[in-house]
Structures are given as C-alpha cells and as structure tokens.
C-alpha cells in the first residue's frame, strides 16, 4: 500500500454521487474490492444534488478527497421525450453544483460520467472522441445530451482555469450501452438488455408461442457490463496526470469506455432467450424502424492504458438474469 505519512490512497475519502444507481453501485463495489475504506455516500432523499445550498453544506462538512459523479436523471426515449425540461435542468444543476462545490472545498480529483448520446446522430462508426460537437444530436435526447456535454466542458474549464494554480484535475468518461446488476427492468421504459430480459421472461411464464421484436434485428450495438465500466472508471481516475494528458487535450478531454464487441439485436435476442429459457418463436416486425444500423464507440484511448473488459456477454447476461429473478422475489 502506498503510504508516505499522508493519507494512503486507500484511506482517501471518496464521494460516490449516485451510489444506488447501476453505475454508482458498481463503482462502490470496485472501490471496496480494491480495499478503499472511506467511501462517502448520500441517497437522493438525504441530499438532493440539484439544491445548491445543500450541496455546498455537504461539501463544506465532508471535504472529500475525490469525487465520482455518477448521479444523474437517466431515462429511455419515452421519458426523455416527455420530460425534456426535467432532464436538462436537473442534470445541469447536479453537475454545476457537484463540480463547483467540489472545487470550492479543494477537491483535486473528480471523474464525471457522461454518455455516448453526446455524439452527433450521424457520426461515423465506431465513434471516436473527436466527433464531439461536429454535428446535430439525436433530437429525442438532445436536452439530456447537451447537459452531459456541459458536464464535460465544466470539467475542462475548471482544469484550464484552476489546473495550474490549484492542482484541479477533473476527468470525464463516456460509457457505451451498459447492463448488469441494479438495472431497471421494465417492458417499455428500459434499456435494450433489461427490456428484453423482462419481455422474454414474461413470455416464458405465460407460455407465449411467439414474441415480436420491433425492427429487423440486423442493427448492431455494443454492450458493456457495469462492473467492467467501474474498473475502467477507477483506472482513468487513478492514472498519472501526464498519462491522461498524453491521450487527451485541454478542450477534448473525455475518454470513451466501450467493450469493442458488437452484436446484432437478432443475436442478442437469441442469446437472451437462451439465458432466460424461452422456447417460443421470435418474430421480427420489419414494419418498425431499426434505428441506426450500427452504434459503437472507438475505445482506443482507453485500451492504450492497458484496460480491457473481462466479463463476456453471455456470462454478464446470466448474472443479470439472476439479479432480475432475485428482484422479482423481493
Ligand atoms: N445505464 C447506461 O446504459 C449508461 C450508459 C452510458 C452512460 N451512463 C451514465 O452513467 C450515469 C449513471 O447512470 P445509471 O445507469 O447508473 O443511472 P441510475 O441507475 O438511474 O442511477 C442514477 C442515480 O443518481 C441518483 N440521482 C438522480 N437525481 C439525483 C439528485 N437530484 N440528487 C441525488 N441523487 C440523484 C439516482 O437516485 P434516485 O434513483 O433515488 O433518483 C440514482 O441513484 C449517468 O450519467 C448516465 O448518463 C449510463
């Protein structure tokens, strides 16, 4: 353990904002597994991060050493389309409050979690970090994406203004589609994997002869288990500043986190029906839209740091299904 009379790394007070969410809880698991002993958390009910005064009081009292910002108002297409004001307002407030108050009490290291929806709708695939702000966003989640871009720019601006004078080092990561423990399982309002698990599990229980999936199933997507994401997050937070600066620049400072493994929705559906044990027929409704034919991230910067994902999709899906079953029993 690194110790020089100062706090050893493992004893540092680390605030994980959003620790009950899928990403925040995975980061907490990863930190605990690495031996970190002083993890600071607050539930949404204990601390509403959109409230500037409460966030300021919290940081004044607790003075953490590092912050992982994984709290956000998150939702699918329907929620984003129905509540755009809540998505842009709450996320801007959470980011501005946490990043500024962290700075105010002298936090030097912060990791901001963004999302791949920050990239233009028609960006070449796989998307590299440089395509940020080069084209129009997907309209359905534009307000959310703009708030996430603002989060990256907040981190960059604090680095540019206070990096030299105050040692501020705020980093951003952009994960691909995630799945895993703590996912939100719902028929319509979920991400792809939990939505399919829900649908196919209930089709099995009801002995349905067929399940209809919207679109051709030919479109490919990239998925990453949240525990792999967490390992990438703690790595990016802890690499030396010089190594981070080697692969980023002052005004293009975010790093993609993807698995570099793409799968067609058709094959994903077949894999999940195998995991769930659904034996009926799968039909693809070609009258419904597929969305973009391919969507994935180029994660070369991250892999240049020596990181690679460890959880195979089939293993991750089995564990996620077990988690779903556990939740049903609760
Ligand atoms: N899931 C994905 O596929 C994915 C992919 C790429 C990027 N990301 C990014 O990862 C981050 C976390 O996502 P997630 O999937 O972990 O979302 P999540 O499961 O919904 O977790 C978000 C957490 O933030 C908390 N939160 C929301 N508003 C808050 C507020 N005003 N004050 C305090 N806490 C608040 C939520 O608490 P309550 O539930 O109590 O409100 C929840 O615990 C987001 O920035 C997201 O963009 C996720």
């Amino acid at each position: 353990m690194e110790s020089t009379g100062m706090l050893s790394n493992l004893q540092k007070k680390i605030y994980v904002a959003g620790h009950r969410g899928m990403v925040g809880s995975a980061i907490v698991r990863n930190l605990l597994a690495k031996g970190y002993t002083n993890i600071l958390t607050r539930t949404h009910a204990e601390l509403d991060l959109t409230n500037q005064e409460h966030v300021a009081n919290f940081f004044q009292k607790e003075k953490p050493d590092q912050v992982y910002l994984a709290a956000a108002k998150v939702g699918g297409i329907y929620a984003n389309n129905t509540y755009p004001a809540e998505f842009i307002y709450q996320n801007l407030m959470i980011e501005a409050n946490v990043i500024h108050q962290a700075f105010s009490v002298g936090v030097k290291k912060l990791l901001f979690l963004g999302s791949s929806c920050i990239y233009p709708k028609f960006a070449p695939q796989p998307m590299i970090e440089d395509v940020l702000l080069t084209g129009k966003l997907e309209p359905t989640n534009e307000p959310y994406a703009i708030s996430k871009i603002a989060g990256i720019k907040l981190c960059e601006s604090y680095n540019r203004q206070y990096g030299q004078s105050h040692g501020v080092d705020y980093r951003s990561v952009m994960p691909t589609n995630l799945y895993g423990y703590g996912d939100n399982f719902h028929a319509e309002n979920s991400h792809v994997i939990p939505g399919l698990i829900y649908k196919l599990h209930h089709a099995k229980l009801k002995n349905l002869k067929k399940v209809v999936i919207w679109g051709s199933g030919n479109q490919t997507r990239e998925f990453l288990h949240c525990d792999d994401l967490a390992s990438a997050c703690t790595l990016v937070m802890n690499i030396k500043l010089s190594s981070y600066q080697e692969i980023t620049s002052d005004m293009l400072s975010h790093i993609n986190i993807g698995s570099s493994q793409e799968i067609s929705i058709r094959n994903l559906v077949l894999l999940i029906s195998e995991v769930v044990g659904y034996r009926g027929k799968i039909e693809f409704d070609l009258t419904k839209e597929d969305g973009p034919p391919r969507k994935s991230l180029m994660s070369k910067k991250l892999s240049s740091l020596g990181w690679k994902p460890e959880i195979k999709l089939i293993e991750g899906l089995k564990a996620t299904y077990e988690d779903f079953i556990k939740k049903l029993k609760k």
Side-chain angles (χ1 to χ4, degrees), residues 13-17 40-42 47 49 58-59 64 66-68:
K13 191 189 265 193
I14 303 188
Y15 172 44
V16 180
L40 176 65
T41 58
R42 287 290 183 279
L47 177 64
L49 295 170
F58 165 76
F59 273 93
Q66 294 186 355
V67 175
Y68 287 86

Side-chain angles (χ1 to χ4, degrees), residues 69-297:
L69 179 40
K73 182 170 174 63
V74 177
I77 296 174
Y78 174 80
N80 267 279
N81 242 339
T82 317
Y83 311 109
E86 289 178 27
F87 274 84
I88 192 163
Y89 171 76
Q90 290 184 24
N91 286 308
L92 285 172
M93 293 303 284
I94 291 171
E95 294 157 12
N97 286 340
V98 173
I99 292 169
H100 182 70
Q101 298 307 334
F103 167 70
S104 300
V105 300
V107 173
K108 305 252 189 305
K109 301 209 65 169
L110 178 146
L111 189 82
F112 171 66
L113 268 291
S115 154
S116 57
C117 68
I118 59 161
Y119 292 127
K121 182 174 179 175
F122 298 112
Q125 303 293 326
M127 296 180 284
I128 55 171
E129 287 86 351
D130 306 50
V131 295
L132 181 67
L133 294 173
T134 58
K136 287 198 172 165
L137 298 165
E138 160 63 44
T140 43
N141 56 15
E142 188 195 66
Y144 179 76
I146 296 267
S147 75
K148 289 288 169 190
I149 295 171
I152 301 174
K153 294 297 163 189
L154 272 164
C155 291
E156 280 175 7
S157 303
Y158 278 73
N159 289 342
R160 289 170 61 210
Q161 190 169 343
Y162 304 117
Q164 293 280 342
S165 57
H166 294 68
V168 164
D169 176 7
Y170 295 170
R171 304 175 180 183
S172 305
V173 287
M174 299 303 122
T176 190
N177 298 309
L178 303 173
Y179 73 99
Y181 307 115
D183 223 330
N184 162 33
F185 299 95
H186 191 274
E188 285 93 31
N189 201 16
S190 287
H191 289 123
V192 180
I193 288 181
L196 285 171
I197 288 180
Y198 184 98
K199 195 173 177 137
L200 291 163
H201 175 78
H202 284 92
K204 178 180 85 171
L205 292 190
K206 290 182 197 152
N207 269 322
L208 295 185
K209 289 213 165 50
K210 72 168 184 188
V211 163
V212 180
I213 305 290
W214 283 18
S216 70
N218 293 331
Q219 68 278 36
T220 61
R221 296 291 181 268
E222 180 190 28
F223 295 96
L224 181 72
H225 193 277
C226 58
D227 284 345
D228 275 333
L229 169 77
S231 82
C233 287
T234 53
L235 175 87
V236 171
M237 176 70 121
N238 288 301
I239 52 167
K240 278 195 276 175
L241 179 58
S242 55
S243 309
Y244 189 71
Q245 285 172 335
E246 243 168 58
I247 54 171
T248 58
S249 60
D250 280 1
M251 294 182 71
L252 195 76
S253 68
H254 60 287
I255 295 183
N256 287 344
I257 303 184
S259 62
S260 303
Q261 286 158 17
E262 292 171 52
I263 182 169
S264 71
I265 295 297
R266 179 178 293 270
N267 286 340
L268 179 69
V269 172
L270 295 176
L271 212 54
I272 295 179
S273 48
E274 194 184 307
V275 167
V276 165
Y278 173 65
R279 308 261 174 259
K281 200 173 155 216
I282 311 273
E283 219 172 78
F284 290 87
D285 180 353
L286 301 178
T287 65
K288 298 288 191 304
E289 288 196 19
D290 280 353
R294 184 181 182 199
K295 225 180 155 215
S296 65
L297 293 181

